Amino acid sequence: MVNVNALACDLRKTVDPRVRDHEVALLFSYILGDQGKGPLGVECNALDSSSLHIKRFVSECTGLGVMSAASEVLFDWTHKTGGLSSFDVLPGKLKDAYKKTGVRPDLLYDLADGPVAGEARGRRRDNPQMFPPGKGTTEQKERLEQLARWSAAHGDHAYFMSWVWLGQGGVYVDIFLPDGSAALKGLKTGWIEVPGDPKPWQFRVRPPDRRRAVAPAPAPAPDEELVVTLPGVSGQAATREVIRQTGPAAEEAMNRAFAREEDQLGTLAGVPVRGRWIRGDLLGETRHEVLLGVLGERIELDRRAQRERLASLAGDRLDTYLDGRLLTLVRPIDGPRPEWDQISTELLELT
């Protein structure tokens, strides 16, 4: 959750580190964890006492983080996985590939078999028990119907939805997948403890009118660097192309983030790493500390090995995560900070 939320940024803007640090601390004020040794929990009393917009912030951050973690396992991310792009702050290069208004999923995952859109929801729930298998809510069904229409309007675009619940029973997630999508073949679902009902929800979705002429993409504005005209292809190929072209803008955003950090933590495979430690938790006694770092350049690592390592943390292993040029490490405050040599050694095991 820290990596997906606190280190995400709109490529068109400069992120204020003070705001990012505050959001990390705020998230840790409500979400509880024990360095990968148990399920996530939530401070329900504190959450229920908070204002509505704080509840939404915590729920949304949790929803996005859990969705990304679930997608890593579902689609078995590897070092060849392109990564993800945010739909909510759609980069200019993608705005002509997707509609600018109406329903849009939250994240776009650039996977080897093609782009997959992910929809994340986070909600507070009083009941400590999960819903029975196959027993969804009316709100979930209505949102899935909207996503099915979005998919049909974009050439049967692959998608999935995760619905995260926060309550006395902890944090758990319902996952919904469309039946028969070519992009969802080979899913890894063995980790799901409670499978759903084999009878899926079905929606009657009117296909788009293919007789309608597609208007040509407008010429790029001279002062808008991220806007490009779509290539002479359509559907998935066009989407993959604009995702590829967004890469340089993302690298430039990372360069700005790297330049803003004054303290060098050390090097990783010869690449300098800058960043700093910040204290988590704004309510009561601080329980966690977070290292936020950015690399001078990208280092490839085995995503599958990183995922398996995080799922089986033991002993003095570190709860650290590297995604491209972004590095996070979460540690309980009741012990000494790990030395950089230990951090780099564990990360280099995955490259």
Side-chain angles (χ1 to χ4, degrees):
M1 289 193 300
V2 172
N3 192 279
V4 171
N5 292 288
L7 298 181
C9 63
D10 185 341
L11 301 182
R12 299 165 295 186
K13 301 176 182 177
T14 299
V15 175
D16 189 331
R18 299 171 302 172
V19 175
R20 183 187 63 181
D21 297 353
H22 179 76
E23 290 183 349
V24 171
L26 183 60
L27 182 59
F28 270 107
S29 299
Y30 295 91
I31 301 300
L32 309 174
D34 188 16
Q35 201 168 357
K37 299 176 183 178
L40 287 177
V42 58
E43 287 275 16
C44 293
N45 292 336
L47 189 63
D48 294 341
S49 300
S50 301
S51 59
L52 182 59
H53 64 278
I54 295 296
K55 293 180 183 178
R56 288 174 175 170
F57 169 80
V58 174
S59 298
E60 180 179 348
C61 287
T62 306
L64 288 173
V66 172
M67 181 180 70
S68 294
S71 69
E72 284 199 35
V73 182
L74 277 173
F75 305 113
D76 195 22
W77 287 14
T78 68
H79 68 283
K80 297 181 180 179
T81 302
L84 57 88
S85 302
S86 173
F87 266 46
D88 284 342
V89 285
L90 201 63
K93 287 187 177 181
L94 290 176
K95 74 177 186 178
D96 292 323
Y98 296 100
K99 292 182 178 179
K100 304 174 188 178
T101 60
V103 174
R104 291 189 302 179
D106 293 305
L107 292 180
L108 177 66
Y109 296 92
D110 182 19
L111 304 182
D113 292 332
V116 177
E119 172 75 359
R121 281 291 185 269
R123 295 289 188 272
R124 171 76 169 90
R125 185 164 185 258
D126 293 325
N127 195 316
Q129 303 299 322
M130 296 176 59
F131 284 107
K135 179 67 174 179
T137 68
T138 301
E139 190 178 5
Q140 288 174 330
K141 186 175 182 178
E142 291 174 350
R143 186 56 179 168
L144 278 174
E145 186 171 3
Q146 293 175 333
L147 292 173
R149 293 195 182 112
W150 175 89
S151 174
H154 290 84
D156 293 329
H157 198 298
Y159 69 95
F160 77 106
M161 183 175 78
S162 67
W163 200 283
V164 176
W165 300 100
L166 297 82
Q168 298 292 343
V171 178
Y172 57 93
V173 58
D174 294 331
I175 296 176
F176 301 86
L177 299 161
D179 190 27
S181 174
L184 303 182
K185 292 181 179 178
L187 289 174
K188 307 296 182 182
T189 58
W191 58 277
I192 299 178
E193 296 180 1
V194 184
D197 194 309
K199 296 181 180 179
W201 279 329
Q202 295 182 349
F203 308 105
R204 187 179 300 276
V205 179
R206 177 177 298 178
D209 188 352
R210 301 186 183 280
R211 297 172 298 177
R212 294 178 57 187
V214 178
D223 59 344
E224 193 170 0
E225 298 179 356
L226 294 181
V227 178
V228 298
T229 302
L230 279 177
V233 292
S234 61
Q236 178 174 301
T239 305
R240 293 298 294 270
E241 177 62 18
V242 290
I243 290 176
R244 184 190 65 79
Q245 294 183 35
T246 306
E251 288 300 303
E252 180 56 34
M254 293 298 97
N255 290 337
R256 294 195 301 268
F258 182 79
R260 287 196 302 269
E261 298 292 346
E262 298 179 355
D263 299 330
Q264 180 158 321
L265 303 169
T267 61
L268 186 62
V271 175
V273 182
R274 296 179 183 175
R276 63 194 183 285
W277 289 93
I278 66 170
R279 297 175 71 88
D281 309 311
L282 296 176
L283 300 174
E285 183 179 356
T286 297
R287 297 165 298 194
H288 297 90
E289 193 175 42
V290 184
L291 176 65
L292 302 178
V294 57
L295 280 64
E297 62 185 66
R298 181 179 294 269
I299 293 179
E300 294 297 337
L301 81 163
D302 189 331
R303 288 182 181 270
R304 184 182 293 112
Q306 177 171 243
R307 181 171 62 248
E308 292 173 350
R309 173 187 165 277
L310 288 172
S312 58
L313 285 176
D316 59 352
R317 302 288 281 180
L318 301 175
D319 189 357
T320 184
Y321 188 87
L322 176 62
D323 185 9
R325 295 174 61 180
L326 301 176
L327 168 70
T328 57
L329 190 155
V330 181
R331 74 172 194 89
I333 203 69
D334 57 358
R337 288 179 179 174
E339 298 291 338
W340 178 255
D341 286 346
Q342 181 184 2
I343 299 174
S344 60
T345 297
E346 292 198 20
L347 290 173
L348 288 175
E349 294 175 358
L350 307 172
T351 57

